[in-house]
Amino acid sequence: TRSVMDQIPRLLAAMQYSSMDDSGASGSFDLMCTFAVTRQVVQAKSMPGTNPLEQITLPRDAIRKLKSKGMRSLRDLRIMPSSESLNLLKSVCERGKRGNSSANAAARDLSAIPLPSIEEVKCYCEVEKTSGKSVGVLKF
């Protein structure tokens, strides 16, 4: 059986899907964004505002060394070729078998993070004919 915490992302996804049905109501965009952020917090098991580098399995000392080498975010590591990021992770982890296993685990976590890119963004304002309300539209 699954725990309650395991079921929360599914519940939030269902609530988000239900709220999308009434997307014309004021505040619905804020509500949908809140659902998305809450799902990310629950799945990542970290709060917004924490260091994103702490989301991969690395000792705090290694995270501090990564920061000193100019790595401020997961994206900095994620856009590097996998061999380069693995070498960087190995250089900041302690020497020995445990250090290599930490670097390998962190590299696996890093490669599991999706790297999104946006090709075309359209943002415009429309006026609904029935209600006369201005509606902002954002299309990817």
CSV table of all heavy atoms in Angstrom, one decimal, residues 80-108:
chain,number,residue,atom,x,y,z
A,80,MET,N,25.8,20.9,-18.9
A,80,MET,CA,27.1,20.4,-19.3
A,80,MET,C,27.0,19.0,-19.9
A,80,MET,O,26.0,18.3,-19.5
A,80,MET,CB,28.0,20.3,-18.0
A,80,MET,CG,28.3,21.6,-17.3
A,80,MET,SD,29.2,21.4,-15.8
A,80,MET,CE,30.8,20.9,-16.4
A,81,PRO,N,27.9,18.6,-20.7
A,81,PRO,CA,27.9,17.3,-21.2
A,81,PRO,C,28.0,16.3,-20.0
A,81,PRO,O,28.7,16.7,-19.0
A,81,PRO,CB,29.1,17.2,-22.1
A,81,PRO,CG,29.4,18.6,-22.5
A,81,PRO,CD,28.9,19.4,-21.4
A,82,SER,N,27.4,15.1,-20.1
A,82,SER,CA,27.4,14.3,-18.9
A,82,SER,C,28.8,13.8,-18.4
A,82,SER,O,29.0,13.7,-17.2
A,82,SER,CB,26.5,13.0,-19.2
A,82,SER,OG,27.1,12.3,-20.3
A,83,SER,N,29.7,13.7,-19.3
A,83,SER,CA,31.1,13.3,-18.9
A,83,SER,C,31.8,14.4,-18.1
A,83,SER,O,32.4,14.2,-17.1
A,83,SER,CB,31.9,12.9,-20.1
A,83,SER,OG,32.0,14.0,-21.0
A,84,GLU,N,31.5,15.7,-18.6
A,84,GLU,CA,32.1,16.8,-17.9
A,84,GLU,C,31.5,17.0,-16.5
A,84,GLU,O,32.2,17.2,-15.5
A,84,GLU,CB,31.9,18.1,-18.7
A,84,GLU,CG,32.8,18.2,-19.9
A,84,GLU,CD,32.6,19.5,-20.6
A,84,GLU,OE1,32.3,20.5,-19.9
A,84,GLU,OE2,32.8,19.5,-21.8
A,85,SER,N,30.2,16.8,-16.4
A,85,SER,CA,29.5,17.0,-15.1
A,85,SER,C,30.0,15.9,-14.1
A,85,SER,O,30.2,16.1,-13.0
A,85,SER,CB,28.0,17.0,-15.2
A,85,SER,OG,27.5,15.9,-15.8
A,86,LEU,N,30.1,14.6,-14.6
A,86,LEU,CA,30.6,13.6,-13.8
A,86,LEU,C,32.0,13.8,-13.3
A,86,LEU,O,32.3,13.6,-12.1
A,86,LEU,CB,30.5,12.2,-14.5
A,86,LEU,CG,31.0,11.0,-13.8
A,86,LEU,CD1,30.1,10.8,-12.5
A,86,LEU,CD2,31.0,9.8,-14.6
A,87,ASN,N,32.9,14.3,-14.2
A,87,ASN,CA,34.2,14.6,-13.7
A,87,ASN,C,34.2,15.7,-12.7
A,87,ASN,O,35.0,15.7,-11.7
A,87,ASN,CB,35.1,15.0,-14.9
A,87,ASN,CG,35.4,13.9,-15.8
A,87,ASN,OD1,35.4,12.7,-15.4
A,87,ASN,ND2,35.7,14.1,-17.1
A,88,LEU,N,33.4,16.7,-12.9
A,88,LEU,CA,33.3,17.8,-11.9
A,88,LEU,C,32.8,17.3,-10.6
A,88,LEU,O,33.3,17.6,-9.5
A,88,LEU,CB,32.4,18.9,-12.4
A,88,LEU,CG,32.1,20.1,-11.5
A,88,LEU,CD1,33.5,20.9,-11.2
A,88,LEU,CD2,31.1,21.1,-12.1
A,89,LEU,N,31.7,16.4,-10.6
A,89,LEU,CA,31.2,15.9,-9.4
A,89,LEU,C,32.2,15.0,-8.7
A,89,LEU,O,32.4,15.0,-7.4
A,89,LEU,CB,29.9,15.0,-9.7
A,89,LEU,CG,28.7,15.9,-10.1
A,89,LEU,CD1,27.6,14.9,-10.6
A,89,LEU,CD2,28.2,16.7,-9.0
A,90,LYS,N,33.0,14.2,-9.4
A,90,LYS,CA,34.1,13.4,-8.8
A,90,LYS,C,35.1,14.3,-8.2
A,90,LYS,O,35.7,14.0,-7.2
A,90,LYS,CB,34.7,12.5,-9.9
A,90,LYS,CG,33.8,11.3,-10.2
A,90,LYS,CD,34.5,10.4,-11.2
A,90,LYS,CE,33.6,9.2,-11.5
A,90,LYS,NZ,34.3,8.3,-12.5
A,91,SER,N,35.4,15.5,-8.8
A,91,SER,CA,36.5,16.4,-8.2
A,91,SER,C,36.0,17.0,-6.9
A,91,SER,O,36.9,17.3,-6.1
A,91,SER,CB,36.8,17.4,-9.3
A,91,SER,OG,35.8,18.4,-9.4
A,92,VAL,N,34.7,17.2,-6.7
A,92,VAL,CA,34.3,17.8,-5.5
A,92,VAL,C,34.0,16.8,-4.4
A,92,VAL,O,33.9,17.2,-3.2
A,92,VAL,CB,33.1,18.8,-5.7
A,92,VAL,CG1,33.4,19.9,-6.6
A,92,VAL,CG2,31.9,18.0,-6.2
A,93,CYS,N,33.8,15.6,-4.7
A,93,CYS,CA,33.5,14.5,-3.7
A,93,CYS,C,34.8,14.0,-3.1
A,93,CYS,O,35.9,14.1,-3.8
A,93,CYS,CB,32.7,13.4,-4.4
A,93,CYS,SG,31.1,13.8,-4.8
A,94,GLU,N,34.7,13.5,-1.9
A,94,GLU,CA,35.9,12.9,-1.3
A,94,GLU,C,36.5,11.8,-2.1
A,94,GLU,O,35.8,11.1,-2.8
A,94,GLU,CB,35.5,12.4,0.1
A,94,GLU,CG,35.1,13.5,1.1
A,94,GLU,CD,34.6,12.9,2.4
A,94,GLU,OE1,34.8,11.7,2.6
A,94,GLU,OE2,34.1,13.6,3.2
A,95,ARG,N,37.8,11.7,-2.0
A,95,ARG,CA,38.5,10.6,-2.7
A,95,ARG,C,38.1,9.3,-2.1
A,95,ARG,O,37.8,9.2,-0.9
A,95,ARG,CB,40.0,10.8,-2.6
A,95,ARG,CG,40.5,12.1,-3.3
A,95,ARG,CD,40.4,12.0,-4.8
A,95,ARG,NE,40.9,13.2,-5.4
A,95,ARG,CZ,40.2,13.9,-6.3
A,95,ARG,NH1,39.0,13.6,-6.6
A,95,ARG,NH2,40.7,15.0,-6.8
A,96,GLY,N,38.3,8.2,-2.9
A,96,GLY,CA,38.0,6.9,-2.4
A,96,GLY,C,36.7,6.3,-2.9
A,96,GLY,O,36.0,7.0,-3.7
A,97,LYS,N,36.4,5.1,-2.5
A,97,LYS,CA,35.2,4.4,-3.1
A,97,LYS,C,33.9,5.2,-2.8
A,97,LYS,O,33.0,5.3,-3.6
A,97,LYS,CB,35.2,3.0,-2.5
A,97,LYS,CG,34.1,2.2,-3.1
A,97,LYS,CD,34.1,0.7,-2.6
A,97,LYS,CE,33.1,-0.1,-3.3
A,97,LYS,NZ,33.0,-1.4,-2.8
A,98,ARG,N,33.8,5.7,-1.5
A,98,ARG,CA,32.6,6.4,-1.1
A,98,ARG,C,32.4,7.6,-2.0
A,98,ARG,O,31.3,8.0,-2.4
A,98,ARG,CB,32.6,6.7,0.3
A,98,ARG,CG,31.4,7.3,0.8
A,98,ARG,CD,31.4,7.5,2.3
A,98,ARG,NE,30.2,8.2,2.8
A,98,ARG,CZ,30.2,9.1,3.7
A,98,ARG,NH1,31.3,9.3,4.4
A,98,ARG,NH2,29.1,9.7,4.1
A,99,GLY,N,33.5,8.4,-2.2
A,99,GLY,CA,33.4,9.6,-3.0
A,99,GLY,C,32.9,9.3,-4.5
A,99,GLY,O,32.1,10.1,-5.0
A,100,ASN,N,33.4,8.3,-5.1
A,100,ASN,CA,33.0,7.9,-6.4
A,100,ASN,C,31.6,7.5,-6.5
A,100,ASN,O,30.9,7.8,-7.4
A,100,ASN,CB,33.9,6.8,-7.0
A,100,ASN,CG,35.2,7.3,-7.5
A,100,ASN,OD1,35.4,8.5,-7.8
A,100,ASN,ND2,36.2,6.5,-7.6
A,101,SER,N,31.1,6.7,-5.4
A,101,SER,CA,29.7,6.3,-5.4
A,101,SER,C,28.8,7.5,-5.2
A,101,SER,O,27.7,7.6,-5.8
A,101,SER,CB,29.5,5.2,-4.4
A,101,SER,OG,29.7,5.8,-3.1
A,102,SER,N,29.2,8.5,-4.4
A,102,SER,CA,28.4,9.7,-4.2
A,102,SER,C,28.4,10.5,-5.6
A,102,SER,O,27.3,11.0,-5.9
A,102,SER,CB,29.0,10.6,-3.2
A,102,SER,OG,29.0,10.0,-1.9
A,103,ALA,N,29.5,10.6,-6.3
A,103,ALA,CA,29.5,11.3,-7.5
A,103,ALA,C,28.6,10.6,-8.6
A,103,ALA,O,27.9,11.2,-9.3
A,103,ALA,CB,30.9,11.4,-8.0
A,104,ASN,N,28.7,9.3,-8.6
A,104,ASN,CA,27.9,8.5,-9.6
A,104,ASN,C,26.4,8.6,-9.3
A,104,ASN,O,25.6,8.8,-10.2
A,104,ASN,CB,28.3,7.0,-9.6
A,104,ASN,CG,29.7,6.8,-10.2
A,104,ASN,OD1,30.1,7.6,-11.1
A,104,ASN,ND2,30.4,5.8,-9.8
A,105,ALA,N,26.0,8.6,-8.0
A,105,ALA,CA,24.6,8.7,-7.6
A,105,ALA,C,24.1,10.1,-7.9
A,105,ALA,O,23.0,10.3,-8.4
A,105,ALA,CB,24.5,8.5,-6.1
A,106,ALA,N,25.0,11.2,-7.7
A,106,ALA,CA,24.6,12.5,-8.0
A,106,ALA,C,24.5,12.7,-9.5
A,106,ALA,O,23.5,13.4,-10.0
A,106,ALA,CB,25.6,13.5,-7.5
A,107,ALA,N,25.3,12.0,-10.3
A,107,ALA,CA,25.2,12.1,-11.8
A,107,ALA,C,24.0,11.5,-12.3
A,107,ALA,O,23.3,12.0,-13.2
A,107,ALA,CB,26.5,11.5,-12.4
A,108,ARG,N,23.6,10.3,-11.6
A,108,ARG,CA,22.3,9.7,-12.0
A,108,ARG,C,21.1,10.6,-11.7
A,108,ARG,O,20.2,10.7,-12.5
A,108,ARG,CB,22.1,8.4,-11.3
A,108,ARG,CG,22.8,7.2,-11.9
A,108,ARG,CD,22.4,5.9,-11.3
A,108,ARG,NE,22.4,5.8,-9.9
A,108,ARG,CZ,23.5,5.5,-9.2
A,108,ARG,NH1,24.6,5.2,-9.8
A,108,ARG,NH2,23.5,5.5,-7.9
